[in-house]
Amino acid sequence: DGGITQSPKYLFRKEGQNVTLSCEQNLNHDAMYWYRQDPGQGLRLIYYSQIVNDFQKGDIAEGYSVSREKKESFPLTVTSAQKNPTAFYLCASRRSGTAYNSPLHFGNGTRLTVT
Amino acid sequence: GENVEQHPSTLSVQEGDSAVIKCTYSDSASNYFPWYKQELGKRPQLIIDIRSNVGEKKDQRIAVTLNKTAKHFSLHITETQPEDSAVYFCATYHSGGGADGLTFGKGTHLIIQP
């Protein structure tokens, strides 16, 4: 939907397990982002990538890891080191990470529940 | 780094009335100001944006105003309808600023009362 596909929509994991969230885009966008959304917290940036094989930590990167081996794909791994992993995760992309008027396009999100 | 404050956190208006959501920012280098709408359980979607060289932009019932001197911008929705109920996020883009240059406000939950 909108060129960005996140899967799965709902994900359940046991505490202590790593889990990987998928994000694929066919918009030919250079920049990709992962945000975490909690009630009342807005959108908090986890990691972003402005180009293949390069990525940067956002505001809340601890306990997460990413890779950007292909332009179309930016998977996020939630590791067992993340203390409060239960949240709604949104992937997004932009045509360019540096073009000021390049709006973000979001995927439909993955709701992760860890028990 | 940039700091974006968004108010109010919750706004309830009668159907047909107007709604105004305000954001202030700290970095005078910010030059692009988008607004996103997120319906319950869905992804945020861009509804309107404004560049720093423009003071106002309108799209049907939605308008955004920007005051660069005071560093604030506002979203105005007129003749509100039930489908306007959602969470609205403001954001700023600041060239060369921290992370990737985008900073979001914490959101406003707009409730349209029938």
Side-chain angles (χ1 to χ4, degrees):
Chain A
D1 197 2
I4 300 178
T5 302
Q6 286 187 246
S7 61
K9 187 173 182 178
Y10 299 98
L11 190 54
F12 298 88
R13 279 292 182 270
K14 293 287 187 185
E15 194 174 323
Q17 293 180 334
N18 291 357
V19 59
T20 297
L21 281 59
S22 170
C23 179
E24 303 278 333
Q25 54 99 359
N26 60 4
L27 300 168
N28 199 32
H29 285 173
D30 289 315
M32 296 187 74
Y33 305 79
W34 275 104
Y35 289 91
R36 171 178 171 143
Q37 190 171 29
D38 298 282
Q41 296 278 349
L43 296 164
R44 293 187 290 169
L45 181 65
I46 304 172
Y47 267 99
Y48 68 102
S49 167
Q50 295 190 349
I51 196 168
V52 175
N53 292 322
D54 185 55
F55 49 82
Q56 306 294 330
K57 291 182 179 180
D59 300 318
I60 55 166
E62 186 175 348
Y64 300 97
S65 65
V66 294
S67 63
R68 186 87 187 276
E69 297 176 1
K70 298 186 298 181
K71 187 175 185 178
E72 303 79 21
S73 179
F74 191 42
L76 172 75
T77 297
V78 184
T79 75
S80 56
Q82 168 50 233
K83 291 183 172 53
N84 297 298
T86 295
F88 188 53
Y89 291 88
L90 283 162
C91 178
S93 70
R94 297 172 76 201
R95 178 169 46 83
S96 166
T98 55
Y100 77 97
N101 61 345
S102 173
L104 275 176
H105 295 258
F106 287 90
N108 283 328
T110 292
R111 188 166 297 279
L112 173 64
T113 302
V114 177
T115 57
Chain B
E2 172 74 294
N3 182 43
V4 178
E5 299 279 344
Q6 183 171 347
H7 298 282
S9 57
T10 303
L11 177 60
S12 182
V13 301
Q14 290 294 126
E15 183 178 348
D17 289 349
S18 295
V20 180
I21 302 169
K22 299 180 180 179
C23 288
T24 60
Y25 61 98
S26 59
D27 190 340
S28 57
S30 291
N31 56 8
Y32 174 62
F33 308 88
W35 284 89
Y36 289 84
K37 174 184 179 182
Q38 185 179 26
E39 297 177 22
L40 188 62
K42 297 190 177 180
R43 61 192 170 103
Q45 292 189 290
L46 179 72
I47 56 171
I48 196 167
D49 55 12
I50 193 168
R51 302 179 192 180
S52 59
N53 59 348
V54 176
E56 183 174 359
K57 183 176 179 181
K58 191 172 181 180
D59 183 3
Q60 299 183 335
R61 295 186 297 108
I62 293 172
V64 56
T65 57
L66 171 65
N67 184 327
K68 283 211 72 180
T69 303
K71 297 204 209 57
H72 68 71
F73 58 112
S74 300
L75 177 71
H76 304 254
I77 305 174
T78 58
E79 300 172 16
T80 53
Q81 300 170 5
E83 54 263 36
D84 294 328
S85 292
V87 177
Y88 292 81
F89 293 97
C90 65
T92 68
Y93 181 86
H94 42 118
S95 305
D100 68 333
L102 275 170
T103 304
F104 283 89
K106 291 194 173 182
T108 296
H109 185 193
L110 177 62
I111 302 165
I112 307 301
Q113 302 280 4

